[in-house]
Amino acid sequence: MSRLGISNAVRPSPLGLTGRAALIAFATMSGVANSTLSPILPQIEREFGTASGHVTVTMVLTVLGLGVLIGSPLGGWLGDRLGHRRVMFVSGLLYGLAGCGILFAATLEQAVLGRLIVGIVLGSMGAAAFSVIGDYWDEEGRNVWSGVIPSVGALAGMALSIVAGSLADTAWRTSFLIYAVGFVAAALALAGIPEKPAVTARARAAAASGIPARLLPSIFGFGLIVGSIATGTSAYLPHRLVDVGVATSSGRAVVALSGAATVVLTGFAYGRIRRMISLDLAFVFGAACSGFGLLIMAYAPTAPMVACGMAIEGVGIGVLMPSLMVYAIGLSDESNRGRVIGLMKGAIFGGPFLVQFALDPVRLHAGASAALAILAASGAVLALWFAVRWLGRRPKLA
């Protein structure tokens, strides 16, 4: 075991400390992209309005999902062929350039475009990073690292969202300087991720066959639902907090700490959780907690009660997100791992972008509570699905 409590790889050449630091840097990039924008949406709306041309202010947040939906399969495909090191390096550079470039956006469309590019390269880097986890660790190590990545991302988002919110209270544009973390991740990937080894003839033949069609419904179905719950919430939570009297960006960021904190704690404990329960039961537990937490968030009358719901949802997300990555790694092998993981990550982050077209009208006409309640119902459906699946796999009594 390492100092971090992370199992050594089964392979003779485990990933070194610099390579592991590159994975942590990717997690930080993910936390920055997912968490630091939500508290400043009201400021962006005040400057650019609720809509401009064919885009809305919500798209500044959710277009990240469209970008990841595009970039994840692309990064997985490129990683399977060119190597995960190259994909992570180039993605980190482009992330820093595009993210910091939003500082100079003159229109809402330009801000949306910048976030779209950030999403594409974040998706590409994520597919490569989780493929590295699949390549260098056994099942126990994959469980641990699949929990560490979202936990570090949530921890980084939790800390940096407060920074971004404080900056936004005076000048919202300066908060995008935080995206310079991409440059750090690129340097670490170049120094610490090994080159992809030569592909054998057998692996090339397997790669040519692609991803079996029978896997696609579960990849897209589970990914879309979990993504809508996990990252779609942030599009409607700021409006819900305004409803209960939290008027400032920094205040909304502080209230959101409860959810981020439980995501962190649960994610770091995910490896131990999986020693006690099966993957199906992990999905049941995570989806049930997410649904219940969202229901509290939807109808709680005060900010502390909303924060309590966020904490419960955070436990669910802390279990659901690594479970999906472990599930995707288990579906793949070295010949197609990047593409399988890329499709799953694309579905996770594409979910919020797709559901906004249904939930935005709901929020505008019935309020943020109604939108959050619909997300809560989707969590309940997911929990029921996996409960039935788990029961169907239990051994029958003689």
Side-chain angles (χ1 to χ4, degrees):
M1 300 287 287
S2 71
R3 291 182 181 179
L4 294 175
I6 297 169
S7 300
N8 288 332
V10 172
R11 298 179 178 277
S13 298
L15 200 65
L17 290 178
T18 307
R20 298 181 188 204
L23 297 178
I24 297 299
F26 156 70
T28 304
M29 289 168 53
S30 181
V32 168
N34 286 308
S35 302
T36 60
L37 185 65
S38 181
I40 69 175
L41 273 183
Q43 277 89 341
I44 297 175
E45 185 173 73
R46 279 198 293 270
E47 176 156 345
F48 293 127
T50 59
S52 176
H54 298 289
V55 301
T56 66
V57 69
T58 304
M59 286 187 184
V60 180
L61 180 71
T62 60
V63 77
L64 182 81
L66 177 61
V68 177
L69 178 63
I70 297 169
S72 292
L74 177 62
W77 182 80
L78 290 173
D80 285 340
R81 285 158 174 76
L82 303 178
H84 307 309
R85 178 193 188 193
R86 296 181 185 179
V87 171
M88 292 181 70
F89 172 67
V90 174
S91 296
L93 287 179
L94 293 177
Y95 176 98
L97 291 171
C100 293
I102 301 175
L103 178 74
F104 306 102
T107 64
L108 185 60
E109 289 89 345
Q110 291 176 7
V112 170
L113 177 60
R115 286 278 292 178
L116 175 64
I117 296 172
V118 165
I120 291 172
V121 295
L122 183 66
S124 297
M125 194 167 191
F130 277 97
S131 296
V132 168
I133 292 173
D135 288 346
Y136 281 87
W137 279 279
D138 60 10
E139 182 178 359
E140 183 176 358
R142 291 169 182 176
N143 286 337
V144 172
W145 272 96
S146 293
V148 165
I149 295 298
S151 294
V152 172
L155 187 62
M158 180 171 61
L160 294 176
S161 66
I162 298 176
V163 175
S166 298
L167 291 172
D169 285 335
T170 55
W172 65 265
R173 294 175 182 275
T174 58
S175 64
F176 286 96
L177 291 173
I178 298 172
Y179 284 74
V181 67
F183 300 131
V184 177
L188 289 171
L190 184 64
I193 303 297
E195 288 282 4
K196 187 177 178 67
V199 179
T200 64
R202 181 178 179 181
R204 280 194 297 268
S209 62
I211 302 173
R214 60 183 173 80
L215 302 180
L216 297 180
S218 56
I219 291 174
F220 285 113
F222 300 153
L224 286 171
I225 294 175
V226 173
S228 298
I229 295 172
T231 59
T233 304
S234 58
Y236 305 103
L237 178 60
H239 304 287
R240 181 73 183 106
L241 289 174
V242 170
D243 291 343
V244 295
V246 184
T248 66
S249 296
S250 55
R252 290 188 289 273
V254 170
V255 173
L257 290 179
S258 61
T262 52
V263 169
V264 170
L265 294 175
T266 307
F268 278 124
Y270 181 76
R272 295 185 179 183
I273 293 172
R274 282 298 317 283
R275 295 191 196 111
M276 296 183 289
I277 62 176
S278 68
L279 188 59
D280 282 341
L281 279 181
F283 275 114
V284 173
F285 176 74
C289 286
S290 296
F292 183 54
L294 280 162
L295 192 63
I296 295 175
M297 292 160 61
Y299 297 109
T302 65
M305 292 183 67
V306 172
C308 179
M310 292 169 63
I312 296 172
E313 188 207 17
V315 172
I317 300 307
V319 173
L320 281 178
M321 296 299 281
S323 292
L324 274 181
M325 290 298 99
V326 170
Y327 178 75
I329 291 172
L331 292 178
S332 63
D333 55 42
E334 290 188 15
S335 68
N336 66 5
R337 182 161 290 140
R339 282 168 290 171
V340 172
I341 293 173
L343 285 178
M344 180 66 83
K345 287 190 67 64
I348 291 171
F349 286 92
F353 179 82
L354 296 175
V355 301
Q356 72 173 323
F357 297 106
L359 292 185
D360 268 3
V362 172
R363 180 185 74 84
L364 293 173
H365 289 89
S369 293
L372 292 171
I374 292 173
L375 292 174
S378 66
V381 170
L382 188 66
L384 180 61
W385 172 273
F386 277 100
V388 171
R389 178 168 141 155
W390 175 73
L391 290 171
R393 293 182 176 183
R394 294 182 64 189
K396 301 291 190 274
L397 295 176

